[in-house]
Amino acid sequence: MHRYVLGRLLSAIPTLFLIVTISFFLIRIAPGGPFDLERPLEAKVMENLNKIYHLDEPLWNQYLLYLKSIAQLDFGPSFYFRDFSINELFAQSLPISIQLGLSALCLALFVGGTLGVIAALRQNQATDYTVMAAATLGVTIPNFVVAPILTLILGVWLGWLPVGGWNGGAFVNVILPVVTLALPQVAVVARLTRGSMIEALRSNHVRTARAYGLTGYMVIVVHALRGAILPVVSYLGPAAAALLTGSVVIETIFGIPGIGRYFVQGALNRDYTLVMGTVVVVACFVILFNLIVDLLYALLDPRVRYD
Amino acid sequence: MSNENNKTVLSIKDLKVDFETATGTVNAVRGVNIHVEAGETVAIVGESGSGKSQTMMAAMGLLASNGRTQGEVIYEDRNILGLPVGQLNKVRGEKITMIFQEPMTSLDPLYTIGRQLAEPMVVHGGLSWKAARAKALDLLRLVNIPEPERKIKAYPYEMSGGQRQRVMIAMALANDPDVLIADEPTTALDVTTQAQILDLLRDLQKRLGMAVIFITHDLGIVRRISDRVYVMKTGDVVESGDTQKIFTQPEHPYTKMLLDAEPTGHKPPVPESAPVLLEAQKVEVEFELDTGFLQPKHVLRAVDNISFSLRKGQTLGIVGESGSGKSTLGRAILNLLPAGGRVVFHGKQISGLDRNAMRALRKDMQLIFQDPFGSLSPRMTVGQIISEGLLVHEPSLSAQDRDARACQALEEVSLDPVMRNRYPHEFSGGQRQRIAIARTMVLKPEFVVLDEPTSALDRTIQKQVVELLRDLQKAHELTYLFISHDLAVVRALSDTVMVMQGGKVVEAGPADAIFEDPKQDYTKELVGAAMLTQQHMMETA
């Protein structure tokens, strides 16, 4: 098991290397540079800036320099937010995004899972149709529509919740963004759970559990749900990635200082190091979550072994 | 026949089961009366679709959600049919238990054997998990699981089908039940395993004294273990009575037909002068098992050094349990997979020929598969399926000629040629197998490999297909290689028989010699397990 985890982590290095290489050159292909403002800078100033940030050196050299610094876990200085290094920016914003994303993921799993199980148990009845219709709505309505509506109702009209701001992650501030972020995932998880749960409820071993007069909890949770949750677990990897990157809109609408906004600002301002930093961070999370998914899978299903 | 009395433990009265489907209501069970006494074994026998399983599923409250029931199921003076789940759960799993047909999937793959055995004891017996586990160990010993201390920690996927069925039996016995319902418990198992499970059930019943309701389609099993029989057909009990009486003096025509469906007869021998059509010398097939990266390859010898020769018009029966390599041998003979050794057909060596060279010979060497549902393309009409081979082998034929040949082939397998414009899903299993045979016969082959052609069919249908194969052989002087695990069918069709185990030939010889006077222990076990000897004794008695 330890060997497997170590192997997976080591195999992440070449993956990350490829991602860094490709995105490094891709962003450089995009026209313009970090210091091309609407009003051009004086030639002398520009020259100095380029020199400080090594932009006057050949691209190949810049790439090697970047690789060297990233190997020391130094993402370099930001071109746009001067006076800040990327590491400093992330140190402030990443925990916020992680808190936001993980809260949304947990909420989606809990609510989506419960709804899916209820729908499966009431298959083709009114409850089932209601849950599935709500799930379809959840997926189709984009969160930049949901967010303002929820803010309007709960924040402006009823005045129950603050309309924006992070406030150090205070509970009332977190509710709206987390709910909005989780909604589409709730819908997907509910659908997945319902489908696999219906199949599980029809399976022969659940029939055995019923025939042996086991309690409802044992039949549904112990025997049906454990198997039915496996496809949902596989979905966790992509879901985690979607929640991290999907927070761009939510963070902007609710004015939350997470890393989401750096995706946009970094790309628009050609802040090379910022773009690279966000790409690497997201890639790390995707890799990590896929590893967690695989380990969780082995934990749930004894037929899967990594020896 | 015995009537209900004070020894009756479970009694089903006028039970009706309907299923609401999109195309209307299906009356699966139409007013059935069945009862069982303490210590008695009752068999419910019938073919697929007779409602025998649904009767017991309904009694246990295990119907699919679109099932509706009517009638009474009386246990201890109380109607348990339609009870709320909470009350029903006080009976099922404790006083009435079940074993199912599918040993491979009836246990939860995610929990250990010990945990699953303990569950009903904790729920019904009020035992602690620890006490239940200790008792589970005793139960595993009771059902003769080897190494019970180790197996109790095993997961279902680590056990064979027979072992899993033993675990199911252990589970059924855990709470000392009054009634044990066994729904085709041995159908998915090999014959020798089947015999062991039946012996175990009979032995346990004697020791523990519960009533057993045994659902099966296999009359051999009925005769072997039951005291009384109910014969079911399309949702009705058509006949019931003591086993002895049902077998000796059947009254209902359907019962007679079922009894008559046991394949009988012998194949007339082929004259000595008949030319040798096919000769196999030291055929070998090896599979490399994937053991992982950079690990030494594990080689499995699926077919190990097998030789035989077949004269024109002869049938060689190959019997063996699953995994014995019999199907692999059939495919190796047809050069469908790489094999060592030599196969000579019509004096010409065919082993080692490439695809193109083989194609010309394929017309004369055909194959019929076990699964009549999967082996016909669902998107082609029956006429297209049958005449497809002619496109390759007789390209000069016009579309009209091909159609005529397809009609002729359908007539030969006793199907109406009008049906050639229909699609396979509109046919029953038996009819599909006839279509598969017609597809083969249209090419006028000389040699046909039949890979379990009757195994997926009900006994009565099976008998018709056996008759058909026999007639076709006689009419066209066909040579068969007949692969089956069903010894009765092999005996009825073969000149010579080869018994295979683990890729090797255990014993070979004339059919009668093998079945009446088996020399090797394995053959004896196989023949004994298939209950042919017993049947033979009854025939001659």
Side-chain angles (χ1 to χ4, degrees):
Chain A
M1 193 68 166
H2 297 304
R3 266 189 66 188
Y4 173 77
V5 175
L6 195 68
R8 281 285 294 266
L9 290 176
L10 285 177
S11 75
I13 293 173
T15 315
L16 281 173
F17 172 75
L18 267 179
I19 291 171
V20 167
T21 307
I22 292 170
S23 38
F24 183 89
F25 290 105
L26 268 182
I27 184 80
R28 296 305 172 111
I29 290 171
F35 308 119
D36 295 335
L37 304 178
E38 279 174 27
R39 228 174 23 169
L41 293 169
E42 275 177 51
K44 188 69 192 165
V45 177
M46 193 73 162
E47 199 178 305
N48 273 335
L49 280 172
N50 281 346
K51 195 161 190 167
I52 293 167
Y53 292 106
H54 302 287
L55 290 176
D56 54 345
E57 292 180 34
L59 193 55
W60 193 247
N61 237 359
Q62 292 182 37
Y63 171 66
L64 290 179
L65 275 175
Y66 186 72
L67 275 189
K68 199 176 140 197
S69 76
I70 213 174
Q72 296 159 348
L73 296 177
D74 177 7
F75 290 98
S78 170
F79 291 73
Y80 181 73
F81 301 96
R82 288 172 222 158
D83 309 329
F84 288 100
S85 71
I86 302 296
N87 290 41
E88 282 165 352
L89 289 175
F90 282 174
Q92 286 168 17
S93 60
L94 193 57
I96 295 175
S97 282
I98 291 178
Q99 191 193 341
L100 188 63
L102 281 186
S103 309
L105 190 63
C106 292
L107 185 72
L109 278 179
F110 181 73
V111 177
T114 313
L115 286 178
V117 170
I118 291 172
L121 289 174
R122 305 261 182 285
Q123 196 199 345
N124 296 339
Q125 294 172 21
T127 323
D128 180 24
Y129 293 135
T130 316
V131 170
M132 283 306 107
T136 313
L137 275 182
V139 176
T140 46
I141 301 183
N143 48 19
F144 54 80
V145 175
V146 176
I149 292 176
L150 286 182
T151 316
L152 191 64
I153 298 173
L154 296 172
V156 179
W157 292 349
L158 297 173
W160 291 350
L161 298 168
V163 293
W166 186 245
N167 195 15
F171 183 70
V172 283
N173 287 64
V174 177
I175 296 174
L176 274 182
V178 166
V179 169
T180 321
L181 191 56
L183 269 185
Q185 304 301 330
V186 168
V188 177
V189 171
R191 277 189 168 276
L192 275 175
T193 313
R194 175 184 179 268
S196 54
M197 191 70 186
I198 285 173
E199 204 176 307
L201 286 172
R202 283 191 196 142
S203 68
N204 286 335
H205 67 261
V206 170
R207 180 187 62 190
T208 306
R210 285 217 173 101
Y212 278 83
L214 301 189
T215 57
Y217 170 80
M218 284 174 109
V219 173
I220 292 162
V221 178
V222 176
H223 287 289
L225 187 60
R226 181 162 165 188
I229 209 79
L230 290 174
V232 182
V233 169
S234 319
Y235 174 70
L236 277 185
L243 285 173
L244 261 180
T245 49
S247 61
V248 179
V249 178
I250 303 295
E251 287 176 10
T252 311
I253 292 175
F254 290 102
I256 296 168
I259 73 161
R261 61 206 166 111
Y262 294 141
F263 282 102
V264 185
Q265 287 170 354
L268 291 181
N269 297 308
R270 302 284 182 275
D271 190 340
Y272 297 144
T273 44
L274 186 56
V275 170
M276 292 303 298
T278 45
V279 166
V280 170
V281 165
V282 170
C284 284
F285 270 97
V286 172
I287 289 170
L288 186 70
F289 261 88
N290 279 320
L291 176 62
I292 292 175
V293 163
D294 287 346
L295 294 180
L296 211 55
Y297 219 98
L299 198 71
L300 285 171
D301 190 341
R303 288 166 294 185
V304 179
R305 286 273 175 263
Y306 305 118
D307 295 330
Chain B
M1 120 170 227
S2 79
N3 288 311
E4 283 185 43
N5 54 37
N6 55 5
K7 281 172 73 189
T8 302
V9 282
L10 184 75
S11 145
I12 296 171
K13 290 180 179 165
D14 199 27
L15 179 73
K16 294 192 180 86
V17 179
D18 297 330
F19 288 100
E20 306 291 340
T21 66
T23 50
T25 307
V26 177
N27 309 111
V29 180
R30 312 166 181 218
V32 158
N33 292 294
I34 288 172
H35 72 272
V36 59
E37 291 169 11
E40 185 187 36
T41 301
V42 162
I44 305 177
V45 69
E47 304 201 306
S48 49
S50 61
K52 55 191 193 301
S53 286
Q54 293 309 334
T55 303
M56 296 324 293
M57 287 292 178
M60 297 294 283
L62 293 173
L63 286 183
S65 57
N66 61 341
R68 307 276 169 270
T69 54
Q70 260 183 60
E72 288 184 316
V73 177
I74 308 288
Y75 172 75
E76 286 188 341
D77 303 322
R78 196 159 70 122
N79 182 13
I80 60 167
L81 191 68
L83 275 187
V85 176
Q87 292 186 45
L88 191 56
N89 279 352
K90 295 202 172 81
V91 177
R92 60 179 186 188
E94 184 179 5
K95 292 294 149 200
I96 307 177
T97 54
M98 280 190 96
I99 312 169
F100 299 97
Q101 178 174 0
E102 309 85 355
M104 305 313 272
T105 54
S106 292
L107 292 165
D108 193 330
L110 306 183
Y111 294 93
T112 61
I113 298 301
R115 151 100 198 193
Q116 296 189 57
L117 274 174
E119 276 176 348
M121 292 189 268
V122 171
V123 171
H124 298 292
L127 296 182
S128 68
W129 283 103
K130 209 178 152 200
R133 246 183 119 70
K135 203 175 163 202
L137 197 62
D138 291 339
L139 285 167
L140 288 182
R141 288 200 189 97
L142 184 72
V143 295
N144 303 327
I145 293 258
E147 302 179 85
E149 289 86 358
R150 202 166 63 81
K151 290 291 185 195
I152 199 167
K153 293 190 201 112
Y155 288 93
Y157 75 96
E158 296 167 311
M159 304 177 107
S160 68
Q163 284 183 339
R164 291 187 211 192
Q165 204 60 300
R166 282 170 193 271
V167 171
M168 279 305 293
I169 294 174
M171 197 158 155
L173 299 175
N175 289 311
D176 196 10
D178 292 335
V179 184
L180 172 65
I181 300 166
D183 186 357
E184 304 256 12
T186 58
T187 309
L189 304 172
D190 277 327
V191 274
T192 49
T193 321
Q194 186 173 344
Q196 290 161 11
I197 295 285
L198 288 176
D199 286 343
L200 175 70
L201 270 176
R202 201 160 45 172
D203 174 52
L204 289 171
Q205 186 190 18
K206 227 176 263 168
R207 280 156 65 183
L208 307 172
M210 72 264 180
V212 174
I213 299 178
F214 205 100
I215 302 168
T216 184
H217 68 279
D218 189 333
L219 288 166
I221 293 177
V222 173
R223 181 156 43 195
R224 184 166 165 155
I225 76 161
S226 74
D227 302 314
R228 266 189 318 122
V229 186
Y230 291 90
V231 181
M232 278 191 77
K233 187 198 176 204
T234 55
D236 283 311
V237 171
V238 293
E239 188 168 358
S240 62
D242 291 339
T243 306
Q244 188 67 27
K245 185 181 146 282
I246 293 277
F247 276 89
T248 49
Q249 300 161 288
E251 275 164 20
H252 195 277
Y254 181 72
T255 315
K256 286 181 191 159
M257 194 171 91
L258 272 184
L259 287 172
D260 199 35
E262 297 284 299
T264 47
H266 293 269
K267 188 180 172 301
V270 170
E272 291 287 334
S273 58
V276 170
L277 182 75
L278 183 111
E279 203 166 0
Q281 291 165 354
K282 297 186 175 170
V283 176
E284 283 180 356
V285 180
E286 288 181 346
F287 292 120
E288 278 185 0
L289 299 184
D290 198 15
T291 44
F293 187 57
L294 289 180
Q295 307 254 325
K297 283 269 194 304
H298 185 74
V299 175
L300 175 81
R301 293 210 141 196
V303 174
D304 195 356
N305 194 11
I306 289 186
S307 307
F308 61 85
S309 85
L310 266 173
R311 282 183 283 134
K312 194 168 176 57
Q314 267 190 322
T315 300
L316 170 63
I318 298 179
V319 294
E321 304 195 327
S322 49
S324 60
K326 54 192 193 306
S327 288
T328 310
L329 174 65
R331 281 167 172 67
I333 296 297
L334 293 178
N335 207 359
L336 286 170
L337 43 83
R342 239 163 73 93
V343 178
V344 179
F345 181 68
H346 262 313
K348 183 183 173 191
Q349 177 169 339
I350 61 164
S351 31
L353 289 185
D354 63 13
R355 274 163 165 272
N356 286 325
M358 270 313 289
R359 187 165 296 143
L361 288 166
R362 291 267 177 246
K363 180 181 165 312
D364 299 324
M365 310 176 80
Q366 285 286 311
L367 176 63
I368 293 175
F369 302 95
Q370 170 174 6
D371 180 8
F373 292 91
S375 57
L376 302 176
S377 167
R379 286 172 197 84
M380 289 165 76
T381 66
V382 165
Q384 287 169 336
I385 289 172
I386 292 174
S387 56
E388 195 183 22
L390 293 172
L391 286 172
V392 179
H393 293 293
E394 296 180 47
S396 57
L397 287 182
S398 69
Q400 263 179 340
D401 290 341
R402 279 201 303 276
D403 194 47
R405 287 279 290 274
C407 290
Q408 202 186 331
L410 276 171
E411 269 169 17
E412 209 164 17
V413 298
S414 314
L415 286 177
D416 190 344
V418 178
M419 294 177 174
R420 71 186 183 284
N421 293 323
R422 297 200 199 155
Y423 288 88
H425 71 265
E426 299 172 64
F427 294 88
S428 69
Q431 284 175 319
R432 284 176 201 225
Q433 203 57 294
R434 284 174 192 271
I435 294 167
I437 294 170
R439 166 170 66 179
T440 305
M441 292 308 158
V442 79
L443 297 173
K444 304 192 187 306
E446 293 183 72
F447 173 64
V448 183
V449 173
L450 298 140
D451 192 354
E452 304 256 13
T454 58
S455 303
L457 306 174
D458 277 329
R459 270 288 184 196
T460 48
I461 310 293
Q462 190 174 338
K463 175 160 179 150
Q464 295 163 8
V465 172
V466 166
E467 291 298 328
L468 172 67
L469 290 171
R470 222 180 233 159
D471 293 345
L472 287 171
Q473 181 169 43
K474 210 187 285 173
H476 302 287
E477 278 199 301
L478 292 171
T479 307
Y480 286 154
L481 186 72
F482 191 90
I483 299 165
S484 183
H485 69 276
D486 187 335
L487 279 74
V489 177
V490 170
R491 182 175 195 188
L493 275 175
S494 311
D495 295 282
T496 50
V497 173
M498 210 157 85
V499 181
M500 280 183 76
Q501 187 191 25
K504 290 192 173 71
V505 175
V506 177
E507 193 169 353
D512 285 345
I514 294 279
F515 287 110
E516 271 159 38
D517 186 22
K519 297 279 187 293
Q520 300 294 322
D521 288 342
Y522 180 69
T523 317
K524 282 179 193 162
E525 193 188 345
L526 210 58
V527 172
M531 291 161 285
L532 279 172
T533 41
Q534 189 188 359
Q535 198 176 316
H536 185 71
M537 269 157 32
M538 286 188 71
E539 273 169 16
T540 48

